[in-house]
Amino acid sequence: MRKQLALLCLALGVVCSGWTQVTIGGSVKDKKGRPIPLASVTLKNSYDGATTDSMGRYSFQTTETGAQLLVISIMGYKPFEQTIIIQGTAAISVNASLAEQIDELRAVVVSAGSFPAGDAKRANIMSSLDMATTGGANADITAALKTLPGTQQINDQEGLFVRGGTGYETKQFIDGTLVNNPYFSSVPDISQRGRFSPFLFKGMVFSTGGYSALYGQALSAALVMESIDMPERSEVDASLSPIFASIGTQQLAKNKKSSWGVNYNYTNLTAYFNIVKQKPDYFKTPVFHGGDANFRIKTKNGIIKYYTTFSKSDLGLRREDIDSSYLKDAFGLSNYNWYNNLSWRENLGNGWKMQAGTGFSINKDDISQHVQDQANADKQFSNAVFWMRDKNFMLHNKQIAAQARLVLEKRLSGINNIRFGSEYWYSRNNISYNDSSYVLPDHYKALFAESNIYITNDLALTVGGRLEHNSSIDKMAVAPRATFAYKTSKDAQVSLAYGIFFQKPENSQLRGNDMRYTKASHYILNYTKMTRLRLFRAEAYYKKYEHLVKTAPEYSNNGDGYAKGVEVLWRDRQSIKGFDYWVSYSYLDTKRDYLNFPERMTPNFAADHTVSLVTKRFFTSIKTGFNFTYSFATGRPYYNLQQQTNQKYRIADAGTTKDFHNLGFSMNYVPNAGNPKARTNMVLLASVTNVLGAQQVSGYNYSYSGLVKSPILPPAKRFFLIGIFLSWGVDRTDDIINNNL
């Protein structure tokens, strides 16, 4: 028995000597020498391994022998592998330095000069619902964007006036293609709203400067909008108010691979004007007919989208003639607009993507202007009183615009990519003014490329450029763009942007010899700190204008100017539960010598200081949301420029308007909020602008002699809106609530 036990002990001893354990240990750090905790350290094809501690250290034992592959991995870093040789019982030490892995979730966002908006962007500042519920904005995209820094509070003409730029210097794009007439046609001294609802878009980027090389022909800013893909489900919508009525539907196929929709809306202001008196005498009350349609088809790895909209409007109004105590000016406008957009987005595989688009639009304005007597009969004038004679005219302007665009994107290593493409625009203006007419065709071609380069998750840059040619001025231009971004902490970053931007002069200004592009150079420094519920953003910029159009003493590109300023935005949805607010401030210093200016002057659309405060609160207990918006701007300059015998102008009178104040309010009552079984979803809306009735003077009109000046005022101090919005199919009441929480 003793002999048998001795043999067993001898055998176990042999086996145990074969299981000799070796200790493997070391540390794991990043490239900056900082320890990486919780990294997984294993021998490949074995169960032996460990996890690093808070100091990045690890240690484990193994019975494996020979050549083994040590693998270290953790999310956010590139895996580390090293072959080690295990012999005998000596401990093995391996210290690893892991390289950071660049990914979209952690990488810095290259965003100087732009405000992401909509519902699909990673860094949203405004959602579609934000735009719809901004107090006093009445779901107008432009009105809502005017609460952001960089914009001016202009209410006597349509458009976004950004950083010392005119409304013409800001362009709008839908799915990559330019929108030629984004606003309803101009009426003298009355601002018009945009043609598109914010709910058409899943994402927007409002660039107040330094925008992407993928877009061009906007000297100051670009609003890039991406339409929604598929609706959530089939639905029917309707709305009704004393001003408008609409009905529409969106139908989603059962396999959710296609959808279509149609909408019709009718607006008639007769009843409203009978209740809320307007300063102009509307001899033809504004009436608008509008409709739109769409279809969307999912392809193998993408989607094809088509959208079309049509509108027709008529109006006529009279005002007192400023050169006479008994005559009147009668203005009439008839407009129709048809817009089409077809886009195709496809993932081609192997890192390639494609975005193709085409657009086509027709816009026709028939404008009449007549001086009339007290009996509303037209008056004629001799050449001796040419300033009165020239007030009588007929203008017919038909614009046709077509364009095509192709963008290809190739994903490079990591999340680096390059995008490049080409676009072609064609436009044709048929203009008839009294007895004369002319046609202005225009061809625009561009090549562009842009690359996003991520050096680390904290450091990235975007570089690109455009090559453009315009036939009406027969000029070529090269426009470089660059943006640099550095992440200073987990939630904060600094960005720098630079770019050169060109824009063809307006058609009415193409009268001089050898006209050329107007030009602006942008320099932007941005700091942004953003968490899920708070945002702080500060930006400083300098913009240099060159080759601005002068109209006196003759048409030329001899104008120039500058704009510089500081802007701040603070949004907070955290400090007070259920309360959302943002504050924006803009300081602007700008002067330009253009049009008939006798010297460099501050243009009449530029205020030195602009402030907006937007507040939103939804009370679930009463199922009602209350939204206030207060906007303030210091007075804007105004001038009376009178022509001299040498064709130059002089400043006959100048001043500054009153400070601008506007308190907007809206209230939305959602009776079925929180009721998932409700078959009809309803929102009751009430809204009013300029609640306090402040006098909003936009400038002054002068008589020919300069002895009489009349303030430019809105048609009425306030605009009221009440309405009911119904939908069957999709319950968006939770969106309304959540948007305010």
Side-chain angles (χ1 to χ4, degrees):
M1 184 64 181
R2 289 181 179 176
K3 186 177 180 180
Q4 292 172 333
L5 287 173
L7 291 173
L8 178 60
C9 290
L10 180 62
L12 289 173
V14 171
V15 173
C16 289
S17 67
W19 290 348
T20 300
Q21 294 183 324
V22 174
T23 300
I24 300 175
S27 64
V28 180
K29 298 181 179 179
D30 64 15
K31 293 296 183 184
K32 295 181 180 178
R34 296 173 298 194
I36 300 176
L38 302 177
S40 172
V41 185
T42 61
L43 289 180
K44 193 172 183 179
N45 300 323
S46 81
Y47 295 104
D48 298 333
T51 301
T52 56
D53 61 17
S54 61
M55 298 303 294
R57 296 173 302 204
Y58 70 93
S59 177
F60 65 92
Q61 293 183 325
T62 182
T63 58
E64 302 290 341
T65 60
Q68 300 291 331
L69 187 64
L70 181 72
V71 179
I72 302 176
S73 63
I74 185 172
M75 184 180 295
Y77 294 87
K78 295 179 180 177
F80 174 90
E81 295 183 350
Q82 181 174 319
T83 300
I84 58 175
I85 307 298
I86 304 175
Q87 292 179 330
T89 60
I92 297 175
S93 177
V94 177
N95 297 320
S97 177
L98 302 191
E100 195 176 29
Q101 193 165 38
I102 300 173
D103 62 76
E104 293 183 2
L105 292 177
R106 301 176 61 195
V108 64
V109 178
V110 183
S111 63
S114 65
F115 295 94
D119 294 321
K121 290 292 179 182
R122 171 181 157 196
N124 277 350
I125 290 177
M126 293 181 73
S127 67
S128 298
L129 206 54
D130 276 331
M131 295 182 179
T133 57
T134 296
N138 295 321
D140 181 39
I141 294 174
T142 295
L145 292 177
K146 284 181 181 178
T147 64
L148 296 179
T151 58
Q152 294 287 306
Q153 299 294 330
I154 306 297
N155 60 354
D156 60 326
Q157 49 188 312
E158 57 280 355
L160 282 164
F161 292 71
V162 179
R163 292 182 174 174
T166 66
Y168 177 72
E169 296 174 21
T170 298
K171 294 297 182 184
Q172 298 185 16
F173 302 84
I174 294 179
D175 292 334
T177 56
L178 177 72
V179 182
N180 215 35
N181 302 94
Y183 300 96
F184 288 97
S185 294
S186 296
V187 176
D189 299 340
I190 300 175
S191 175
Q192 303 297 307
R193 63 180 289 129
R195 296 181 184 273
F196 304 103
S197 162
F199 292 106
L200 288 172
F201 307 103
K202 66 175 183 179
M204 300 182 195
V205 175
F206 177 41
S207 292
T208 52
Y211 61 86
S212 166
L214 272 59
Y215 305 95
Q217 292 300 295
L219 213 54
S220 289
L223 177 60
V224 181
M225 300 177 282
E226 184 179 359
S227 64
I228 60 172
D229 294 339
M230 291 289 172
E232 299 172 41
R233 65 186 70 174
S234 298
E235 63 177 346
V236 175
D237 302 291
S239 62
L240 184 64
S241 91
I243 297 175
F244 62 82
S246 71
I247 188 166
T249 182
Q250 296 291 319
Q251 295 296 318
L252 179 64
K254 290 183 179 179
N255 60 9
K256 297 187 178 181
K257 291 186 176 180
S258 65
S259 71
W260 62 269
V262 293
N263 294 281
Y264 169 76
N265 60 78
Y266 172 73
T267 301
N268 189 322
L269 293 165
T270 301
Y272 180 82
F273 284 0
N274 285 333
I275 298 172
V276 182
K277 297 302 179 185
Q278 306 292 298
K279 186 177 180 182
D281 169 24
Y282 281 90
F283 60 89
K284 186 181 291 185
T285 306
V287 175
F288 299 82
H289 293 271
D292 63 74
N294 65 77
F295 72 79
R296 307 173 181 96
I297 302 174
K298 283 187 178 179
T299 58
K300 183 178 180 181
N301 293 304
I303 189 170
I304 294 174
K305 297 185 285 188
Y306 171 70
Y307 174 75
T308 183
T309 181
F310 174 83
S311 66
K312 186 177 187 311
S313 62
D314 288 286
L315 63 85
L317 56 87
R318 295 188 186 91
R319 293 187 174 100
E320 295 177 354
D321 184 85
I322 197 168
D323 287 297
S324 167
S325 59
Y326 61 96
L327 297 177
K328 297 178 285 187
D329 295 327
F331 175 86
L333 169 65
S334 177
N335 166 264
Y336 79 77
N337 178 277
W338 184 35
Y339 170 78
N340 298 268
N341 183 296
L342 177 65
S343 65
W344 179 17
R345 188 179 72 239
E346 192 76 20
N347 189 338
L348 303 175
N350 198 27
W352 284 93
K353 293 181 180 178
M354 180 197 72
Q355 174 83 46
T358 182
F360 176 77
S361 64
I362 298 176
N363 186 81
K364 188 171 185 296
D365 291 318
D366 295 316
I367 297 173
S368 63
Q369 165 69 39
H370 296 287
V371 178
Q372 296 180 335
D373 60 19
Q374 291 299 305
N376 299 330
D378 292 350
K379 294 281 292 182
Q380 302 297 324
F381 300 92
S382 67
N383 292 338
V385 282
F386 58 88
W387 61 92
M388 296 299 291
R389 177 204 61 195
D390 292 346
K391 292 181 182 180
N392 290 332
F393 64 85
M394 298 288 291
L395 174 64
H396 306 284
N397 185 3
K398 183 177 181 181
Q399 304 173 56
I400 298 174
Q403 53 189 308
R405 173 185 170 92
L406 175 66
V407 182
L408 294 173
E409 178 179 332
K410 171 62 176 173
R411 193 179 184 102
L412 306 175
S413 60
I415 59 174
N416 299 321
N417 61 48
I418 184 170
R419 292 176 288 180
F420 56 93
S422 177
E423 61 187 339
Y424 167 72
W425 302 353
Y426 168 75
S427 65
R428 181 183 176 90
N429 278 27
N430 293 57
I431 300 173
S432 172
Y433 181 82
N434 290 338
D435 296 330
S436 61
S437 62
Y438 64 95
V439 178
L440 180 62
D442 194 13
H443 301 266
Y444 169 82
K445 294 167 283 187
L447 297 172
F448 50 82
E450 184 176 80
S451 180
N452 295 320
I453 303 169
Y454 288 83
I455 300 168
T456 68
N457 278 326
D458 298 336
L459 181 63
L461 68 154
T462 299
V463 292
R466 293 179 65 87
L467 177 64
E468 306 173 306
H469 179 267
N470 186 278
S471 68
S472 60
I473 55 176
D474 193 23
K475 292 291 188 298
M476 187 83 77
V478 178
R481 316 273 168 86
T483 304
F484 164 90
Y486 177 68
K487 206 169 183 177
T488 56
S489 67
K490 178 184 175 184
D491 303 315
Q493 68 176 61
V494 174
S495 302
L496 290 167
Y498 164 75
I500 294 179
F501 302 83
F502 295 96
Q503 188 169 12
K504 186 199 77 173
E506 297 184 50
N507 289 337
S508 60
Q509 298 172 342
L510 296 174
R511 301 183 184 182
N513 296 322
D514 197 29
M515 297 296 287
R516 57 198 297 188
Y517 286 114
T518 56
K519 177 183 176 183
S521 301
H522 296 198
Y523 304 85
I524 300 170
L525 172 63
N526 170 283
Y527 173 79
T528 300
K529 182 176 177 61
M530 183 170 62
T531 61
R532 191 173 69 86
L533 296 175
R534 282 178 173 165
L535 166 72
F536 174 77
R537 172 192 166 105
E539 193 159 287
Y541 65 90
Y542 176 77
K543 184 161 58 173
K544 179 182 179 182
Y545 285 106
E546 298 173 84
H547 313 312
L548 295 179
V549 173
K550 291 282 295 180
T551 59
E554 59 187 6
Y555 280 87
S556 72
N557 278 106
N558 295 333
D560 59 15
Y562 71 88
K564 58 185 177 181
V566 177
E567 299 163 358
V568 177
L569 174 66
W570 167 251
R571 184 169 188 177
D572 184 4
R573 287 178 284 184
Q574 179 176 325
S575 299
I576 304 174
K577 186 178 180 181
F579 184 68
D580 179 14
Y581 73 95
W582 69 79
V583 184
S584 69
Y585 166 75
S586 304
Y587 167 71
L588 170 65
D589 174 11
T590 182
K591 287 186 178 180
R592 54 170 58 192
D593 180 10
Y594 84 137
L595 301 181
N596 59 349
F597 282 16
E599 58 192 48
R600 270 194 179 185
M601 304 189 302
T602 301
N604 59 7
F605 50 79
D608 293 343
H609 303 275
T610 305
V611 178
S612 287
L613 170 62
V614 180
T615 68
K616 302 183 180 193
R617 178 73 167 93
F618 191 90
F619 294 89
T620 53
S621 58
I622 57 174
K623 303 177 180 180
T624 304
F626 298 91
N627 314 301
F628 290 91
T629 299
Y630 171 69
S631 295
F632 164 82
T634 52
R636 308 197 317 249
Y638 64 86
Y639 310 101
N640 178 25
L641 302 180
Q642 290 196 339
Q643 192 173 29
Q644 304 175 95
T645 54
N646 59 1
Q647 301 302 312
K648 292 185 178 180
Y649 282 76
R650 69 178 182 89
I651 302 175
D653 186 34
T656 304
T657 65
K658 291 182 176 180
D659 293 344
F660 174 86
H661 300 269
N662 183 25
L663 176 62
F665 168 71
S666 69
M667 180 179 71
N668 41 279
Y669 172 57
V670 190
N672 292 325
N675 179 9
K677 297 181 179 180
R679 303 183 65 178
T680 301
N681 305 298
M682 178 189 305
V683 177
L684 299 173
L685 172 73
S687 174
V688 58
T689 63
N690 194 19
V691 174
L692 302 178
Q695 189 181 45
Q696 298 172 339
V697 179
S698 298
Y700 288 87
N701 289 319
Y702 286 86
S703 64
Y704 176 75
S705 65
L707 299 177
V708 179
K709 69 177 183 181
S710 173
I712 300 172
L713 299 168
K717 278 193 172 182
R718 303 175 182 85
F719 181 79
F720 301 90
L721 176 65
I722 57 173
I724 180 172
F725 298 83
L726 303 166
S727 65
W728 297 270
V730 176
D731 184 1
R732 291 200 175 91
T733 54
D734 284 348
D735 294 340
I736 295 173
I737 297 171
N738 293 334
N739 190 61
N740 291 272
L741 297 180

